[in-house]
Amino acid sequence: MRCRKCGEKAVINMRQHRLSLCKQHYLEWLPAQIQKSIKKYGMFSKYDRILVAVSGGKDSLALWDILWKLGFNTEGLYINLGIHSEIAYSNRSMKFAQEFADNRNLTLHITDIKKDHGESIPEISIRTRRGRDKPCSLCGLIKRHIMNRFALDGQYNVLATAHNLDDEAAILLANTLDWSLEFLARSTPVLSSKPGFIKKVKPFFRTYEREAAAYAILNRIDYIRDECPFSIDSKQLYYKKYLNEWEETRPGTKLRFYLNYLKAISHGAFPGKQESAVQLAQQRCPQCGQPTNTGGLCAFCKLFNKT
């Protein structure tokens, strides 16, 4: 297998792109692809303050590295969820994120669920039905709330997350099978800012998970390789399994699936559903002030309201 550009030995073969590249050309190619996506979808500019959600894993650290090398003004946010299993997952992943930032003289902000709210994710999971039945859903709720609030309070222009193509295709498949119209209307790589909501972007939405992993490995970026202990029964991992099988026999399946979804959105699919966030922003939680559709405390504040 030879590099398409120079003929040297290739380090990665991307069948979906019919492209093999050596180390040098791959490390040039992926940032260029991310730059194109940022520009095409108007995600942000060199004048924006960008908050990067960092988990200590390959995707978020690879994304932060690329944005940093492209010259964007970035800071990181790590949320310690207090998942201290036999592998001390949260503290280990936090260590990788901090070392990454320190090695590049970048700013990493750290919030701690236990210190700030009195309970960790495992403790909340034991106490609440949502945590017992859907621990990944619980994590998602908490992280979205904290990221949005932190970005707004810090006066950032945009929040960037490292959701890759595998993530987006799996979520899209799940929402399509359930015909979750509101979620289908909001699975795009850019969610514009609205009152109470920071602008959210996903620069890796066209990037396969293995491409992000290759970038991290070739750049010798240390990252946590263990899966979150709470993700064992994740619905997303279930759908990823089947998407990987389809991708193996028909390279490019994930990319076609997601890009055709974006084409459908641009042609007016799910009309009216995009306005739900606007309506949501008109109602505020009396405790934290963030948007809510509950008519009272938001779902986040309800978790910690034990009365």
Side-chain angles (χ1 to χ4, degrees), residues 156-223:
Y156 294 90
N157 301 103
V158 62
L159 169 69
T161 63
H163 292 87
N164 58 47
L165 177 63
D166 296 58
D167 298 324
E168 294 303 288
I171 293 169
L172 179 58
L173 178 59
N175 288 334
T176 301
L177 291 174
D178 290 338
W179 282 110
S180 302
L181 298 184
E182 289 195 8
F183 288 114
L184 284 169
R186 294 187 281 115
S187 295
T188 56
V190 177
L191 291 176
S192 301
S193 62
K194 294 177 178 66
F197 291 102
I198 192 72
K199 181 180 182 181
K200 301 178 182 69
V201 300
K202 303 170 186 175
F204 267 2
F205 76 95
R206 289 179 57 108
T207 303
Y208 281 72
E209 184 175 350
R210 67 184 292 269
E211 294 171 0
Y215 181 90
I217 292 168
L218 293 173
N219 271 297
R220 297 185 177 179
I221 296 173
D222 288 330
Y223 60 88

Side-chain angles (χ1 to χ4, degrees), residues 2 87 107 116 202:
R2 296 291 172 180
I87 61 171
T107 299
D116 294 343
K202 303 170 186 175

Side-chain angles (χ1 to χ4, degrees), residues 232-249:
I232 295 174
D233 296 320
S234 166
K235 182 188 291 187
Q236 187 171 322
L237 291 179
Y238 175 82
Y239 288 118
K240 279 185 176 181
K241 173 186 173 182
Y242 291 101
L243 282 164
N244 286 336
E245 291 178 5
W246 300 337
E247 184 75 26
E248 183 64 27
T249 55

Side-chain angles (χ1 to χ4, degrees), residues 144-152 196-198 200 290:
R144 285 192 298 272
H145 180 96
I146 292 175
M147 291 187 296
N148 188 63
R149 185 174 61 190
F150 192 97
L152 289 173
F197 291 102
I198 192 72
K200 301 178 182 69
Q290 291 222 70

Side-chain angles (χ1 to χ4, degrees), residues 64 76 88 95 103 107 125 131 171 176 197 218 224-225 250 270:
W64 198 6
K95 180 174 178 287
N103 290 338
T107 299
S125 295
I171 293 169
T176 301
F197 291 102
L218 293 173
I224 190 163
R225 286 166 168 77
R250 296 194 64 188
F270 318 115

Side-chain angles (χ1 to χ4, degrees), residues 11 111 169 213 270 280:
V11 296
T111 65
F270 318 115
L280 176 63

